[in-house]
Amino acid sequence: MSGKTRRAALLLWLALPAGADPLAEIVILGEVHDNPHAHLEQAAALETLRPTAVVFEMLTAAQGAKADADRSQIAQAWAASGWQDFDIYAPIFDALGEARIIGAAAPREAVRSVYLEGAAALFGPEAARFGLDQPLPDDQLAARIEVQFAAHCRAMPRDMMGGMVAVQRYRDATFARAALKALETYGPPVAVITGNGHARTDWGIPALIAQAAPEVTTHAIGFVEKQTEMPFDETRLIPPTKREDPCNALTKN
């Protein structure tokens, strides 16, 4: 889509009827992955937003293309992704309308290669655009290592967390690039379905979009089970879901 066409699409989108609240060109909808309430809230947001395209963290580009080409193949594409129970995500797909389905998950082999080759090498020529060619500031790196250490139940050596931070940066940049490409191709608004950790505004998808394309507006909503220090443009509390302590499997070993 050319710049002129993109501007025209944006003006058309802004002329929504009363009651439709245009938030930004790219709206990032965070989630707690296993919480059905998060996905119901995301679905409601999509029904209001009426996006041109929805970018999914969970599907690869090939899986997304399969689901987009034939909506009867959505469940099969989801199963191939190895992601969580499709039933709790089904409301999101029911709310898509005419939105295109975009898969943004990096292939597993690429994610594994980040540990050996680094995020910039795997990402390709646009690495500098998304800041992957530069090390993180020391304070941010330390904070992100602690986040990963806690997320892995403090059961793994802290010195392994640097590689996991690199993977997180790679995945955030991959999702941001997919969202920008969808915006350029289909026009606004574009939605992104992703975990809350990727939706945070300080170093997640919104921050990388701001670096790569500062003219693009974003709005990040975190659907969270309790108050959190993670920054979002908007935070919405959802009822917690019952689950076994995820640390049990790691700490008992």
Side-chain angles (χ1 to χ4, degrees), residues 8 27 36 46 84 137 162 170 178 199 210 227-228 250:
V27 179
L46 292 179
Q84 306 190 28
Y170 175 80
Q227 292 296 338
T228 175
L250 286 174

Side-chain angles (χ1 to χ4, degrees), residues 20 39 46 59 87 138 142-143 155 214 224 227:
H39 308 310
L46 292 179
L59 301 172
D87 289 344
D138 290 342
V224 301
Q227 292 296 338

Side-chain angles (χ1 to χ4, degrees), residues 30-49:
E31 66 179 48
V32 179
H33 294 310
D34 66 347
N35 190 317
H37 300 288
H39 308 310
L40 291 173
E41 293 287 346
Q42 289 171 319
L46 292 179
E47 289 176 350
T48 298
L49 189 62

Side-chain angles (χ1 to χ4, degrees), residues 65-84:
K66 178 179 179 180
D68 188 58
D70 183 353
R71 299 298 169 101
S72 71
Q73 298 298 306
I74 289 174
Q76 290 88 336
W78 191 269
S81 76
W83 202 257
Q84 306 190 28

